[in-house]
Each structure stands twice: as C-alpha cells, then as structure tokens.
Amino acid sequence: MGRGPDRRAAIGGALGLGLSLGLAGGLGGALAACTPRSQAKVRAEPAADIFLSDLEARHGGRLGFAALDIGSDRRVLWRAQERFPFCSTFKAFLAVATLERVQRDEERLDRAVPIVQTDMIPHAPVTEKAVGRTLTIRELMQAAVEVSDNPAANILIREMGGIAVWRSWWPTFGDTTTAISRLEPDLNTALPNDPRDTCLPEQTLANIREMAFSDRLTPDHDSLLTGWLLASPTGPNRIKAGAPEGWSVAHKTGTGANGAANDVGILTPLSGSPVIVAAYFIGATEATDDQRDAVIAEATRRALKALNRD
C-alpha cells in the first residue's frame, strides 16, 4: 500500500493509477518520524469528535466512523471505541497475513489449490466457476479482496492452518481487540450485542496504517495488495462517493445481516497526504442498500471537511 519514498515510483508505475503522485506529497515527513513498528498504533494527537447522530436518525442505525490524516495525524471519531461487525472488510488483512506467509517461505503465490463443490457457500463469483479445477494462492487472494469471494477467504484460512492460526495472527499485527470467531458466511450474521467477529473503528485506523505504511510486505507484495484494493468494484457509493473528485480509493467493503454495511480504506489525493477511513453501519434494517451507502458517503465527506481535506 505504499510504505516509503523508495517504493512510490515502483508502485505507481506498476499500477498505472497515479498512486505514487498521491503518496509523494505527504508521506515523506510522516514516515520519517516513525519506525515501521510504531505504525501499529495511531499516535496520540488530539481527536476531534464528528457528530453523526443525524445520519443515524435517518434510518435508525448505529454508525461507527474514524478517519486519520496521515500527514497531520489528526483524527475525527464517532463511536470509534464501540464494537461493530467487520463482515468482509477482514479480507484485506487476510491477504496481508497470507503474503507474510509467502515471505517466510511457508506458502507460494503459484501453489495450486483444488476447488471442490463442498467449498461452495453464497457469494462465490470466482471460486464457483473454478469447481473441479484449481486456483493459485494468488488467485484466491485476488478473489477475496477484489470481489469479496467468500469461499476464497475460507480456503485461505484453511490453508494457513485454520481459524485458530488466523486468530493468532492479529496480535502480531498489534491488534488485541478484534474478535475473530467464525468463518464465512456465519461471521456476517451481525446480531445485536454479539461480540463475535467485531472490531473497533479506531483500531481499524491503526490496522490499515500498519498494513499500508510499514515494512511488513515486500514492494512486490505491497503492489499486489494495493492493486486489488484499488481495482475492487464493490461499494462504489460508499467511501468512494464521499471522496473528492480525482482522489484514488484503495478499499475493502463488507456487507452483512441486520443492515450491516461497511467500508474501510485509504483515500489518496493527487497531492498531499492520504486519509485513512473506517466506516461501519449496522441496524438500519428498514433502509435500502442505497440509503445505507449514502450514510457512509456523507460521513466520509463530513470527516474530510473536519480534517480540512475537502
């Protein structure tokens, strides 16, 4: 996701999406002040409250929102220490864990994994077409991140050793609050007051910062993940719709039961520092998909305005 000056040109050129221009303007100073491991926690700059109660009142849902300007370390928060179902947003971090296994020679990008009918669960746009043949670890990661393929995510967790191994990875990432409990599709049930498969929006800021602006991934692997997040067609009316014209958005959405609609990622302008956004909306069961998406888009616009980045 772009971890320093030595990688901007390489990543931007590989993707052909102008990401290097957005990174070049603001990350140099911010990264120079931090060691890679210091990225695990958002620094304690004063956080400004952003009041989003009117957005919740529109449809009766509960909204968790957090945004961080990488250049200034300023944050805006709303219910950022409350728990929300993360749904499929976890798949971006699953790719990080898998790529780290590749870097430790515990896995290979080109290893072929048989895809069988018993792997199939709802939302399998890539894996369903591959039943009876194989997909590589790289193809499974791309399917999970770009189009949120559920069997692909479950297979990747199985191939790393199962959910206990997957759960044990999160503390190594600096996160001791995200609750990893179940696989797809059960993790999307999003029942009220159920702590399983939930996260804190403010912790997500730290997680994305660690994912994107540390040395955890090699340049090639970093470029792979960035490309998938930028290319994802899901949730075009969520944080993408709240970003100013010309900004790039590398993001991962999540959608579940009980009106759950989420979107997390990095918004990068053509010049200036990126902004990390984590948005989780739950409980607006009478709202349409478009209405839930509009709440996330409006929260994003307000956050950027509060950060003076609109």
Side-chain angles (χ1 to χ4, degrees), residues 4-17:
D6 58 324
R7 304 180 62 181
R8 296 174 193 142
I11 294 173
L15 297 178
L17 291 170

Side-chain angles (χ1 to χ4, degrees), residues 130-141:
V131 171
R133 54 184 184 89
T134 63
L135 290 172
T136 65
I137 292 294
R138 175 175 173 162
E139 289 170 329
L140 287 166
M141 282 190 290

Side-chain angles (χ1 to χ4, degrees), residues 137-172:
I137 292 294
R138 175 175 173 162
E139 289 170 329
L140 287 166
M141 282 190 290
Q142 182 173 4
V145 175
E146 268 194 23
V147 294
S148 212
D149 190 291
N150 284 337
N154 284 355
I155 291 168
L156 288 169
I157 292 171
R158 182 192 71 201
E159 294 300 306
M160 71 168 53
I163 195 166
V165 174
W166 170 226
R167 186 182 299 118
S168 71
W169 173 82
W170 287 79
T172 75

Side-chain angles (χ1 to χ4, degrees), residues 48-50 74 76 301-310:
D49 288 327
I50 179 172
R74 293 183 60 223
V76 291
R301 282 189 287 268
R302 292 188 191 182
L304 292 173
K305 182 175 183 179
L307 292 168
N308 296 316
R309 298 302 308 277
D310 58 340

Side-chain angles (χ1 to χ4, degrees), residues 34 47 54 85 94 149 166 175 196 230 238 245 253-254 307:
C34 303
D54 62 310
L94 177 60
D149 190 291
W166 170 226
D175 181 350
R196 293 178 297 173
L230 284 168
R238 296 183 189 178
E245 185 176 355
T253 57
L307 292 168

Side-chain angles (χ1 to χ4, degrees), residues 19-20 86 100 103 117 119-120 130-131 142 152 170 177 182 187 189 197 213 215 223 241 243 269 286 289 294 309:
L19 183 60
S20 60
F86 50 69
E100 288 183 336
Q103 291 169 184
Q117 187 60 44
D119 292 326
M120 292 301 102
V131 171
Q142 182 173 4
W170 287 79
T177 62
R182 297 165 295 178
L187 64 84
T189 54
D197 305 302
F213 305 110
D215 293 325
S223 183
E286 300 302 316
D289 290 342
R309 298 302 308 277

Side-chain angles (χ1 to χ4, degrees), residues 36-48:
R37 292 306 306 166
S38 73
Q39 305 297 333
K41 294 183 179 180
V42 177
R43 284 177 284 177
E45 291 291 321

